[in-house]
Amino acid sequence: MRGLRVGVPREYFFEGVDAEVEKGFEQALATLRQLGATVEDVQIPNIQSAGAFMAIMLSEAFAYHERDLREHPELFGELLRDRLLAGALITGSEYVQAQRIRALLQADMNAALRRVDVLATPTSPKPAATFAQVYDPDYGFPRGNTGPFNMTGLPSLAVPCGFTGAGLPVSLQITGRPFDETTVLRVGHTYEQATDWHKRHPTL
């Protein structure tokens, strides 16, 4: 871990962040520093456009499942079925524009990762949701922090980094350069050797 450069993109990833999530994340950064890493803030210029990943994800998911959705809708849970059907509402123009944004974000991420070895963010700005929340039809599409890296194809790993006062888990997301899964896994493994969050379990 000594000499590892960790970049923290705070714009977008910390918007609306829960105080306990932020606390757990900052404690994880402190652990990485103790292990010998250097930590610095980095900028990703087009990160506010990352929500475009939803247009790509939903339209492609609908295209993949379209036949079964039409012929066997009963095979899908109500919540999942409604989310997949939302992909049918995305136009070809919206999909193409989202792909253009994807290319911009890939360039931005690659530029940031030339300055640092990995990026670190909270996996989600909120603690893990309860089952009651997730199965509520009004739950919608809560914003997480995995989308920008799914969109840009970068290897990412989420590792536990704490619990809220209510006993809900929070985690640290580590993202690396294209095809550099080795570094991402090494950082995650080293962090887990120095902490015991991965050995704890929430009360069910």
Side-chain angles (χ1 to χ4, degrees), residues 10-156:
R10 295 189 179 272
E11 185 182 0
Y12 178 88
F13 296 99
F14 285 80
E15 292 175 4
V17 68
D18 180 271
E20 291 181 291
V21 170
E22 186 170 15
K23 179 182 178 182
F25 176 78
E26 295 297 341
Q27 289 175 341
L29 291 184
T31 299
L32 294 178
R33 290 190 185 96
Q34 291 169 4
L35 292 170
T38 59
V39 180
E40 63 178 277
D41 287 358
V42 296
Q43 301 296 319
I44 301 175
N46 290 289
I47 192 61
Q48 291 297 343
S49 298
F53 90 93
M54 289 294 289
I56 298 172
M57 180 184 71
L58 289 176
S59 58
E60 291 183 353
F62 173 75
Y64 183 85
H65 293 285
E66 181 177 8
R67 181 175 177 179
D68 285 336
L69 284 166
R70 295 185 188 281
E71 297 180 2
H72 303 286
E74 72 282 356
L75 296 177
F76 300 85
E78 182 180 358
L79 187 62
L80 174 61
R81 185 171 63 244
D82 288 347
R83 290 184 177 185
L84 290 174
L85 288 172
L89 304 177
I90 296 166
T91 67
S93 174
E94 290 168 335
Y95 181 79
V96 169
Q97 293 300 332
Q99 291 287 5
R100 289 173 175 166
I101 292 170
R102 180 183 196 172
L104 290 174
L105 275 175
Q106 284 175 322
D108 288 347
M109 299 276 192
N110 289 336
L113 286 163
R114 283 194 286 270
R115 291 181 49 196
V116 296
D117 300 303
V118 295
L119 300 175
T121 67
T123 307
S124 170
K126 302 296 182 185
T130 64
F131 283 112
Q133 289 174 310
V134 171
Y135 285 104
D136 185 339
D138 296 325
Y139 188 58
F141 293 93
R143 208 204 75 195
N145 286 339
T146 59
F149 304 119
N150 288 339
M151 186 182 195
T152 51
L154 296 177
S156 296

Side-chain angles (χ1 to χ4, degrees), residues 1-2 4 157 181-191:
M1 187 76 79
R2 189 161 301 280
L4 182 85
L157 173 70
E181 286 86 354
T182 300
T183 298
V184 173
L185 293 171
R186 178 169 59 86
V187 174
H189 176 73
T190 304
Y191 174 77

